């Protein structure tokens, strides 16, 4: 089927359908042909006579009929209806913002779900916003990119949080609080601000308005991180129903089983995840952890190393590899990786949470809690899982961990 992209829409030319987010917007065939004609001549005025020739096949219809048809298209475009303009004696024009191609490229990069992809996406969205400061899509893309970079520990969290808040406020000002923007705010409240009651309310409201796989996945993470597995389970099942191929679903499911100590189930979901999404570093990392806790150390180390090979710019993956080595007695190799990471830290951000895990596995308990203090100061997003992370089980009896949890989750 032939497709033509138009912002967040696709024109399915064979079926004469205008589609957004997989939903057919039910344009009449005549309205679809009028839109296709205007899109072919984007950013140019199309006179009445030419519109009749192209969209109506030369049939004579009244100017009122043409105006009514174009109005139908404008309604279907919703918040992008302002792209359609009209000037007497000149005709109709579809003004596609200059940053449209850049925005589509940004989402393509973002969907790679790698550090490089997120960084390139942010750059695309920022340039699109500079070209057209009134394009809400650019700010929505920026806010999602900042949120993702912070959530996955790829940028300093305070920098990511500030970037998110600024871009998100612009997006809301232009578009209103859509379910997607409400969802992102809920995630930020959870992992950046740790305002649990507010985060839960926003995530549930977003889910009620639009139960996407993403909404279900983040509710699963929210309740799993609180240790409320019975509350998380229905949202995990809903995520599977909404989109069984959603990129972060297998990692979420593996995390869900890991936190309950159900390591065989975690291995099964992790293996399924790397089969579906072999280049997703988070899914492979959780699979490696599941293998480690289930006792298959050689394969766990192989998967940890593969995750770092696939995503060498996600530095905390090396910390998890070294932690696995330390837990199996390969102390010298683990310390060598720690020294490498300490050198890299001088020029690049490395989430202190993961260095705390490594120090803990090496038996450097005081150093581990120094890193936890640093993670708290830097506002590490990874701290959202401190209450359930099985990698912390050896430190659970230490009162310093209890005190940290009390400070984080009052």
């Amino acid at each position: 089927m032939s497709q033509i992209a138009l912002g967040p829409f696709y024109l399915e030319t064979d079926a004469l359908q205008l589609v957004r987010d997989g939903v057919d917007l039910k344009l009449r065939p005549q309205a679809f042909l009028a839109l296709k004609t205007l899109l072919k001549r984007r950013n140019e005025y199309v006179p009445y006579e030419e519109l009749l020739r192209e969209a109506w096949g030369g049939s004579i219809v009244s100017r009122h009929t043409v105006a009514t048809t174009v109005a139908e298209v404008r309604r279907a475009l919703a918040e992008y209806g302002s792209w359609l303009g009209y000037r007497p004696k000149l005709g109709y024009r579809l003004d596609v913002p200059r940053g449209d191609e850049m925005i589509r490229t940004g989402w393509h990069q973002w969907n790679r779900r790698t550090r490089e992809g997120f960084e390139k996406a942010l750059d695309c969205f920022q340039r699109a916003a500079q070209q057209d400061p009134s394009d809400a899509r650019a700010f929505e893309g920026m806010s999602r990119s900042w949120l993702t970079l912070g959530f996955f520990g790829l940028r300093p969290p305070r920098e990511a949080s500030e970037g998110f808040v600024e871009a998100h406020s612009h997006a809301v000002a232009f578009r209103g609080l859509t379910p997607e923007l409400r969802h992102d705010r809920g995630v930020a409240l959870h992992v950046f601000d740790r305002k649990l009651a507010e985060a839960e309310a926003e995530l549930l409201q977003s889910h009620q308005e639009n139960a996407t796989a993403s909404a279900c996945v983040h509710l699963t993470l929210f309740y799993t991180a609180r240790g409320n597995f019975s509350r998380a389970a229905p949202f995990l099942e809903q995520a599977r129903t909404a989109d069984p191929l959603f990129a972060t679903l297998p990692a979420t499911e593996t995390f869900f089983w890991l936190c309950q100590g159900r390591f065989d189930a975690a291995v099964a979901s992790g293996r399924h995840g790397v089969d579906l999404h072999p280049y997703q570093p988070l899914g492979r990392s959780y699979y490696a952890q599941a293998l480690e806790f289930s006792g298959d150390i050689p394969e766990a180390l192989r998967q940890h190393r593969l995750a770092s090979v696939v995503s060498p710019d996600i530095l905390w993956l090396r910390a998890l590899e070294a932690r696995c080595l330390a837990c199996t007695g390969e102390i010298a190799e683990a310390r060598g990786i720690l020294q490498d990471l300490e050198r890299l830290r001088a020029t690049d951000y490395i989430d202190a949470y993961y260095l705390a895990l490594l120090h803990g596995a090496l038996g450097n308990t005081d150093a581990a809690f120094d890193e936890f203090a640093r993670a708290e100061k830097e506002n590490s997003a990874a701290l959202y899982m401190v209450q359930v992370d099985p990698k912390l089980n050896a430190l659970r009896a230490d009162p310093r961990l209890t005190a940290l949890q009390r400070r984080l989750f009052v």
Side-chain angles (χ1 to χ4, degrees):
M1 182 176 289
S2 180
Q3 288 186 335
I4 304 174
L6 172 63
F9 307 92
Y10 283 95
L11 280 72
E12 305 282 5
T13 56
D14 294 342
L16 303 186
Q17 292 177 336
L18 179 65
V19 176
R20 181 176 185 179
D21 297 329
V23 177
D24 177 14
L25 299 181
K26 306 295 184 184
L27 271 186
R28 290 183 302 111
Q30 195 58 66
F32 179 90
L33 292 172
L35 174 58
K36 183 181 175 183
T37 300
L38 294 169
L39 181 57
K40 187 168 65 173
R41 293 278 304 277
R42 65 173 67 193
N43 302 327
E44 300 178 15
Y45 282 105
V46 181
Y48 166 74
E49 294 78 10
E50 184 176 340
L51 195 54
L52 292 184
R53 186 169 60 252
E54 294 289 332
W56 272 266
S59 299
I60 303 300
V61 298
S62 69
R63 292 179 182 272
H64 174 73
T65 297
V66 173
T68 300
T69 303
V70 173
E72 179 184 344
V73 174
R74 187 178 286 113
R75 288 193 298 273
L77 295 179
E79 69 267 28
Y80 303 104
S82 60
W83 290 358
L84 273 173
Y86 172 74
R87 289 184 66 180
K89 299 182 181 179
L90 292 178
Y92 293 93
R93 182 168 73 174
L94 181 63
D95 276 316
V96 181
R98 289 174 295 170
D100 186 63
E101 183 66 28
M102 206 166 293
I103 288 169
R104 287 194 286 117
T105 301
W107 284 117
H108 171 77
Q109 294 288 355
W110 192 94
N111 281 313
R112 292 168 56 194
R113 295 180 183 271
T114 63
R115 181 175 187 173
E116 181 185 38
F118 295 137
E119 294 282 7
K120 287 185 175 180
L122 179 61
D123 179 65
C124 285
F125 295 132
Q126 287 173 331
R127 286 190 286 152
Q130 289 170 357
Q131 289 188 5
D132 186 355
S134 64
D135 194 336
R137 298 172 303 153
F139 291 102
E140 187 168 9
M142 286 167 59
S143 69
R144 182 70 59 82
S145 298
W146 279 120
L147 180 61
T148 308
L149 287 165
F151 184 83
F152 290 124
L154 307 178
R155 284 279 194 105
R158 296 197 184 281
E159 174 193 4
S161 178
E162 290 171 4
F164 167 78
V165 169
E166 181 178 0
H168 188 267
S169 64
H170 283 294
V172 171
F174 285 122
R175 294 198 59 191
L177 196 58
T178 65
E180 293 78 13
L181 289 170
R182 184 185 297 278
H183 164 267
D184 288 351
R185 186 164 77 178
V187 174
L189 285 166
H190 181 206
V191 300
F192 290 150
D193 302 325
R194 288 186 288 278
K195 295 181 178 178
L196 301 186
E198 293 178 44
E200 181 179 21
E202 292 287 57
L203 290 170
L204 288 171
Q205 181 65 31
S206 169
H207 173 268
Q208 183 178 343
E209 294 169 354
N210 190 12
T212 62
S214 180
C216 297
V217 157
H218 277 285
L219 279 164
T220 303
L221 289 174
F222 179 86
Y223 288 115
T224 298
R226 305 280 68 75
N228 192 344
F229 305 117
S230 61
R231 189 79 169 96
F235 291 110
L236 181 59
E237 186 58 39
Q238 288 178 38
R240 293 193 198 101
T241 302
D243 184 358
L245 300 179
F246 188 65
T248 59
L249 174 58
T252 302
E253 183 171 4
T254 307
F255 178 71
F256 172 78
W257 294 122
L258 271 172
C259 294
Q260 296 177 74
R262 300 277 301 277
F263 301 131
D264 288 345
V267 167
S269 60
R271 183 183 301 116
H272 176 65
V274 298
D275 285 344
L276 284 177
H277 307 287
Y279 302 108
Q280 296 298 316
L282 184 65
R284 193 172 292 277
S285 174
Y286 276 131
Y287 179 40
Q289 293 171 54
L291 289 163
E292 181 182 338
F293 280 101
S294 70
D296 190 348
I297 302 302
E299 183 60 17
L301 281 170
R302 192 176 82 87
Q303 293 299 328
H304 276 303
R305 287 163 178 160
L306 275 172
S308 292
V309 168
V310 170
S311 300
D313 52 357
I314 302 181
L315 298 177
W316 52 260
L317 291 172
R318 298 288 325 277
L320 291 179
E321 175 192 341
R323 179 196 166 278
C324 183
L325 286 164
C327 289
T328 57
E330 300 292 338
I331 302 300
E333 189 174 355
R335 285 177 175 162
I337 294 175
L338 175 60
Q339 290 172 359
D340 290 341
L341 292 174
E342 291 288 3
R343 284 193 294 269
L344 288 168
R345 187 183 237 179
T347 57
D348 205 339
Y349 171 70
I350 303 177
D351 193 328
Y353 182 90
Y354 297 97
L355 291 176
L357 296 176
L358 174 51
H359 277 293
L362 286 167
N364 307 330
T365 306
D366 290 341
F369 281 100
D370 287 343
E371 290 293 348
F372 279 127
R374 181 168 181 165
E376 184 180 6
K377 182 178 179 180
E378 293 177 345
N379 201 35
S380 164
L383 288 167
Y384 85 93
M385 59 183 170
V386 72
Q387 293 174 303
V388 293
D389 189 349
K391 298 185 293 297
L392 287 173
N393 286 349
L395 298 175
R396 293 285 171 202
D398 195 303
R400 289 173 289 185
L401 185 60
T402 304
L404 172 65
Q405 292 176 187
R406 285 175 179 165
R407 290 195 303 273
L408 294 175
F409 307 106
V410 177

